[in-house]
Amino acid sequence: MARFDHQSEPVVTPDDLAATVLTHPGWVRVGLSAPDERTRSSAAEFIAQSMLDKVSGERAQAHPDQLDLSL
């Protein structure tokens, strides 16, 4: 978060990051406290990547085989 110190307002607020975490699938949030290291690591990497995407303003790319859902 040190790179935000030089800006008058943070680009991403703690509320933005909290909202991002809450939108993750349940396995990610529960996975952080899983008994096995592999699941904890996968969950942490998923959350870290989504935070980086949020900070950089990029949107994660969907897998090419995933169908788009119209809203």
Side-chain angles (χ1 to χ4, degrees), residues 4-20:
F4 297 131
D5 293 342
H6 304 298
Q7 299 174 358
S8 59
E9 287 187 35
V11 175
V12 178
T13 66
D15 289 337
D16 293 334
L17 295 178
T20 301

Side-chain angles (χ1 to χ4, degrees), residues 13-58:
T13 66
D15 289 337
D16 293 334
L17 295 178
T20 301
V21 170
L22 292 175
T23 61
H24 288 115
W27 77 264
V28 173
R29 291 179 280 158
V30 172
L32 289 173
S33 60
D36 72 283
E37 179 64 30
R38 183 174 174 213
T39 303
R40 284 193 311 270
S41 179
S42 293
E45 288 176 16
F46 190 95
I47 289 175
Q49 185 61 52
S50 67
M51 294 299 169
L52 290 173
D53 292 345
K54 181 73 172 176
V55 169
S56 68
E58 294 178 13

